[in-house]
Amino acid sequence: MPPILEVQNLVKKYGDFTAVKGISFDIQEGEIFSLLGPNGAGKTTTISMLSTLYEPTGGEAVVGGHSVTKDPMAVRNLIGVVPQELALYEDLTARENLVFWGQMYNLGGSRLKSRVDEILEQIGLADKAKDRVKTYSGGMKRRVNIGVGLLHKPRLLFMDEPTVGIDPQSRRAILDTVKDLNKQGMTVLYTTHYMEEAQELSDRVGIIDHGELIALGTQKDLTRQVGETETLILHLGENDDPQALAAALNNVHGVIKAEPTDGEVSVICPEAEDVLAAVVTAANERGIKIRSIDIREPNLEAVFLHLTGRALRD
Amino acid sequence: MTKLLLIGLKDLKLAFRDRAALILMLLAPFLLTLGLGFVTGRFSGGSGGISEIPVVIVNLDGEQLGDALVDVFKSDDLSELVTLTEADDPEAARRLIDEDEAAAAILIPEGFTQSIMPSAEQFAGGNAADPVKIEVYANPSRPTSAGIVKAIVDEFASRVEEGRITGMTAVTQMIVTGRLAPQDAEAAGQAMGERLAESPGTGLGIALNTNTASGETNDFDVLAYMAPGMALMFLMFTTSYGGRSLLAERSQGTLPRLLVSPTSTAQVLGGKVMGIFFTGAAQLFILIGASTLFFQLKWGDPLGVIALVLAAVFAATGWGMLITAIARTPAQVGNLGSAIMLIFGIMGGSFIQLEALPEVVQWFSKITPNAWGLDGFTTLALGNSLAHLGRPLLALTIMGAVLFTIAVIVFNRKGIMQK
Ligand SMILES: Nc1ncnc2c1ncn2[C@@H]1O[C@H](COP(=O)(O)OP(=O)(O)O)[C@@H](O)[C@H]1O
Ligand SMILES: [Mg+2]
């Protein structure tokens, strides 16, 4: 079967600035594909082109056999979009919002009504359906925002960082919803800057940074790229300087790379046990106090660190 | 088309749920009308409407037509509306105006009758006298009263004009029946035709029906000028508010969301226009209903009112779209909209009657929906029907169409999403 989404060398320039620098990937029907990358990597810009909002500066994308540039209307009927920023009418109720957006997706009559009821049930807002959206909590608004994208049962759903800025409980509910939808057969393109979300949801992941797709494959493929390495996370005392320690550790024999982050230093090495002693000694010599140490198996965070020399979250 | 309606109705709903917008759309014009009503004593007179307008008339003509006009002002029909003083000296009449003793002075110049109805010798000679015009001096501090007097004179002038046309038909009939020698008729017809060409029918849209079917007099109510004035001014708020909502939808993400649904840019733009149109029309109809109910204001021919409301809202929506197309942010639309609302309000006669404004302003006011709308509403309030609204309706429709075209061109150039 041909992929439901084919992206070929997609480019987007904003004036002189190139936000997306020629990315290519495919998504197969039935999978959850995660686009993982820090803020400003170009995730939203990519989604905007795939969903026909912005015309690409170069390259092409094909959804279900329809080009996003040549036949945008056909594409729009196949896709659902959950934008990163809430896109709702705050002075309308949840039900009114769903009804309006359903109409924009050409639903009407009893079909519209039953879909709206189903969605309200699904997002757990059936009893609050008659309240205006502006009275809702952030998490509730996010759920309506997602519900709108599901009304017409799209074959391919774009979700752009749907969990940003909400409480852990709502986040949990959203991740479960994504998995449910996928079980029912919906293909999902999910963007996030949370490594854990990509890790939990998807088999295949694309890592995007500065508008470039720097890694693409299954989580196993990607972690293998890092090599058989482990990561030590050193939690430092409040007054200690991660920068200084990282610099020192980069000279320690057996350390592949040491990176300072906020109050922490992450150290990539082939075998944690071999460098542990040297790491502690180096810290002691500089009077830096290590409060605790985590040892991590290779993960997407390590992949990102390995490829960019930076931590995913900064 | 359905989507246009759905988007439009959604915007109508949103506008009526926005308390701040409701205050400016409905409460402000209503209260201002009420306030102006008190200031002008509309509510203290009891009977409502203007009466006993002091008018001074100087009849230097002294022949049939001049006398006829004086008789009009002396007639029973106008006895309550007008208090007439006759004077011999134009200077004295003008002084009465300056001293605010009269609302208007009418000067019937010497030879008025002659210039309309030339004597037989003049016909034969083929050189008709220049048409002489009746002059009306308006008291700027009493614009409404003066406007009414002017309307009566205009009405009289247009009756005279009708008489002339009838006269010409009569000439033709006389030729056909052989009662007038063709060589004489040619000269007579030419003279008449020339004068007609110079002074086309004076039916200036504003006209007072002193003898309606029922024979009752139409009092002109001050509020019939103020209520539409205020409504039209705040209509400009509504249209810029609607335009602002388009830019707001861009920043609040609902516009991009619309554009990734199977809805075309044209449908979205059309839907937003519908929304502004619906909201503006709803606003005017509510204000008209409220003033009818609470102030017993008579707006006149319902069909005319409906047509005029729709045309005025169309033109105002054009302005709203143009502002939106030019501005970059919702705040800019708001500021630009408020400025235009006030400028158009003042220039278009919402506060001060147009006649009292300098000629430049009067000329400039033609670009405002306010001026044309007021023209139309005044015409209706004076007892005329839809049939007399040709000019304002045409002007408003053309204005709307031109503005829409410009707005669409600007939108096309900038793109609906981009700045
Ligand atoms: N409309 C725009 N004009 C100019 N630059 C933009 C615009 N939108 C995004 N960018 C820039 O493009 C880059 C990618 O942005 P975005 O796609 O939003 O990243 P992400 O969604 O991964 O956080 C950022 O540097 C951002 O500042
Ligand atoms: Mg983003």
Side-chain angles (χ1 to χ4, degrees), chain A residues 3 32 47 68 81 89 112 117 145 165-166 201 225 239 252 271:
Chain A
I32 301 178
I47 296 266
V68 295
V81 181
Y89 297 106
L112 174 62
D117 288 338
N145 199 40
I166 55 170
L201 289 176
Q225 281 190 21
N239 300 320
V252 169
E271 201 69 56

Side-chain angles (χ1 to χ4, degrees), chain A residues 3 14 18 20 56 75 94 121 126 130 189 194 203 223 278 280 293 307:
Chain A
Y14 294 118
T18 310
V20 174
V75 171
E121 210 57 58
K130 284 188 179 153
L189 169 55
Y194 296 118
D203 185 34
T223 46
V280 174
I293 301 177
L307 291 171

Side-chain angles (χ1 to χ4, degrees), chain A:
Chain A
M1 218 163 63
I4 186 163
L5 173 69
E6 296 169 79
V7 181
Q8 291 143 13
N9 212 14
L10 211 54
V11 176
K12 180 68 191 180
K13 289 186 179 170
Y14 294 118
D16 288 340
F17 175 70
T18 310
V20 174
K21 300 172 182 161
I23 63 173
S24 305
F25 61 94
D26 290 349
I27 297 183
Q28 297 299 325
E29 187 113 44
E31 77 171 320
I32 301 178
F33 180 92
S34 287
L35 207 50
L36 174 67
N39 282 332
K43 302 182 294 295
T44 300
T45 304
T46 303
I47 296 266
S48 300
M49 288 186 284
L50 299 182
S51 59
T52 76
L53 181 63
Y54 291 152
E55 191 132 349
T57 315
E60 180 60 283
V62 178
V63 178
H66 304 284
S67 153
V68 295
T69 51
K70 296 186 194 86
D71 196 2
M73 273 296 167
V75 171
R76 291 176 193 177
N77 280 308
L78 297 178
I79 60 169
V81 181
V82 178
Q84 177 173 359
E85 305 296 335
L86 293 171
L88 300 168
Y89 297 106
E90 299 243 328
D91 275 324
L92 297 185
T93 68
R95 177 178 289 280
E96 287 169 331
N97 264 288
L98 289 168
V99 166
F100 174 75
W101 290 109
Q103 288 165 335
M104 291 303 109
Y105 277 93
N106 301 320
L107 299 177
S110 59
R111 171 115 191 283
L112 174 62
K113 196 187 172 303
S114 68
R115 271 309 279 160
V116 168
D117 288 338
E118 279 169 41
I119 297 282
L120 283 169
E121 210 57 58
Q122 194 172 354
I123 60 178
L125 288 172
D127 354 321
K128 300 246 179 192
K130 284 188 179 153
D131 293 349
R132 293 197 193 173
V133 167
K134 68 175 171 197
T135 65
Y136 286 5
S137 72
M140 289 158 75
K141 288 180 187 174
R142 285 262 157 217
R143 282 185 270 161
V144 182
N145 199 40
I146 293 172
V148 169
L150 306 174
L151 278 161
H152 62 298
K153 296 194 173 167
R155 268 173 70 194
L156 174 60
L157 181 65
F158 296 125
M159 299 183 91
D160 193 5
E161 306 212 37
T163 61
V164 163
I166 55 170
D167 58 291
Q169 227 175 327
S170 298
R171 172 197 264 217
R172 183 74 262 144
I174 288 173
L175 292 178
D176 289 342
T177 307
V178 176
K179 287 196 265 187
D180 276 352
L181 289 168
N182 182 246
K183 275 196 198 105
Q184 290 158 27
M186 201 176 282
T187 311
V188 181
L189 169 55
Y190 189 98
T191 84
T192 180
H193 66 268
Y194 296 118
M195 184 264 303
E196 303 86 340
E197 292 186 354
Q199 211 151 302
E200 172 177 345
L201 289 176
S202 49
D203 185 34
R204 289 199 318 130
V205 177
I207 298 182
I208 184 170
D209 187 41
H210 292 310
E212 285 177 290
L213 205 58
I214 55 174
L216 177 66
T218 62
Q219 292 191 38
K220 265 213 185 76
D221 291 341
L222 295 184
T223 46
R224 208 171 289 142
Q225 281 190 21
V226 190
E228 296 296 313
T229 59
E230 287 176 326
T231 307
L232 290 174
I233 309 286
L234 314 176
H235 302 276
L236 306 187
E238 268 180 32
N239 300 320
D240 294 320
D241 180 7
Q243 214 99 30
L245 182 58
L249 293 181
N250 271 320
N251 296 323
V252 169
H253 180 72
V255 169
I256 297 172
K257 194 179 261 177
E259 271 301 315
T261 56
D262 200 17
E264 297 172 359
V265 176
S266 31
V267 182
I268 301 174
C269 53
E271 201 69 56
E273 279 167 33
D274 295 350
V275 296
L276 208 48
V279 164
V280 174
T281 311
N284 281 341
E285 278 170 7
R286 280 157 189 81
I288 293 173
K289 190 171 165 228
I290 299 176
R291 286 191 294 126
S292 65
I293 301 177
D294 288 336
I295 299 176
R296 292 202 185 141
E297 299 282 293
N299 59 19
L300 295 171
E301 180 80 47
V303 175
F304 190 82
L305 190 62
H306 174 76
L307 291 171
T308 65
R310 287 177 291 118
L312 198 48
R313 257 170 285 174
D314 29 34

Side-chain angles (χ1 to χ4, degrees), chain B residues 48-60:
Chain B
I50 289 180
S51 60
E52 297 183 0
I53 302 171
V55 175
V56 53
I57 194 161
V58 184
N59 184 3
L60 299 179

Side-chain angles (χ1 to χ4, degrees), chain B residues 30-377:
Chain B
F30 188 81
L31 290 181
L32 273 169
T33 306
L34 188 71
L36 288 172
F38 276 117
V39 170
T40 53
R42 156 67 158 75
F43 300 108
S44 49
S47 70
I50 289 180
S51 60
E52 297 183 0
I53 302 171
V55 175
V56 53
I57 194 161
V58 184
N59 184 3
L60 299 179
D61 180 41
E63 292 189 63
Q64 289 144 283
L65 288 177
D67 292 347
L69 180 56
V70 175
D71 286 344
V72 166
F73 276 93
K74 280 183 180 166
S75 70
D76 285 346
D77 275 347
L78 295 183
S79 62
E80 273 187 23
L81 184 65
V82 171
T83 308
L84 191 71
T85 314
E86 288 183 78
D88 302 328
D89 175 16
E91 279 313 308
R94 261 175 259 185
R95 229 179 354 261
L96 285 177
I97 297 280
D98 292 340
E99 287 161 8
D100 199 22
E101 295 290 317
I106 303 162
L107 176 62
I108 309 167
E110 210 177 328
F112 172 64
T113 305
Q114 281 289 323
S115 79
I116 304 281
M117 300 195 296
S119 59
E121 309 91 77
Q122 278 172 309
F123 260 136
N127 55 351
D130 282 341
V132 177
K133 282 195 176 151
I134 303 176
E135 289 170 64
V136 177
Y137 297 96
N139 180 342
S141 62
R142 303 196 197 187
T144 312
S145 299
I148 293 169
V149 173
K150 194 165 174 306
I152 298 170
V153 174
D154 281 346
E155 170 73 7
F156 176 79
S158 72
R159 290 285 158 89
V160 170
E161 203 63 51
E162 270 172 43
R164 267 158 49 131
I165 295 167
T166 320
M168 199 157 75
T169 320
V171 171
T172 320
Q173 271 173 350
M174 278 153 78
I175 300 169
V176 173
T177 52
R179 263 182 280 168
L180 186 73
Q183 62 269 29
D184 292 343
E186 201 184 318
Q190 212 172 5
M192 281 181 172
E194 271 168 17
R195 267 199 313 279
L196 278 178
E198 281 164 24
S199 57
T202 40
L204 281 176
I206 194 163
L208 189 77
N209 271 342
T210 44
N211 48 353
T212 49
S214 58
E216 66 182 291
T217 309
N218 280 299
D219 288 338
F220 190 87
D221 189 335
V222 210
L223 276 193
Y225 191 86
M226 283 165 196
M230 288 301 125
L232 288 163
M233 183 165 108
F234 285 91
L235 170 65
M236 288 305 296
F237 161 79
T238 306
T239 57
S240 69
Y241 171 84
R244 193 172 135 166
S245 85
L246 174 61
L247 298 199
E249 288 215 43
R250 187 156 75 192
S251 46
Q252 87 198 15
T254 43
L255 179 64
R257 184 164 229 168
L258 278 167
L259 293 174
V260 299
S261 77
T263 310
S264 69
T265 307
Q267 281 175 316
V268 173
L269 211 54
K272 294 303 290 182
V273 171
M274 284 278 189
I276 302 176
F277 190 83
F278 289 162
T279 313
Q283 174 194 22
L284 288 197
F285 284 128
I286 290 172
L287 287 173
I288 289 171
S291 60
T292 307
L293 202 65
F294 296 114
F295 308 146
Q296 276 81 47
L297 186 60
K298 293 187 186 72
W299 288 76
D301 177 26
L303 281 180
V305 170
I306 291 170
L308 195 57
V309 164
L310 297 183
V313 174
F314 178 68
T317 304
W319 277 109
M321 289 314 285
L322 185 64
I323 296 169
T324 310
I326 293 167
R328 285 164 186 276
T329 63
Q332 277 181 7
V333 181
N335 294 338
L336 211 57
S338 311
I340 288 191
M341 174 176 114
L342 276 175
I343 294 169
F344 279 17
I346 294 166
M347 264 182 20
S350 285
F351 292 105
I352 310 157
Q353 260 202 343
L354 266 179
E355 300 162 34
L357 292 169
E359 209 158 308
V360 195
V361 177
Q362 288 192 32
W363 185 83
F364 207 55
S365 74
K366 300 280 184 247
I367 67 161
T368 69
N370 308 50
W372 290 108
L374 267 176
D375 180 344
F377 281 120

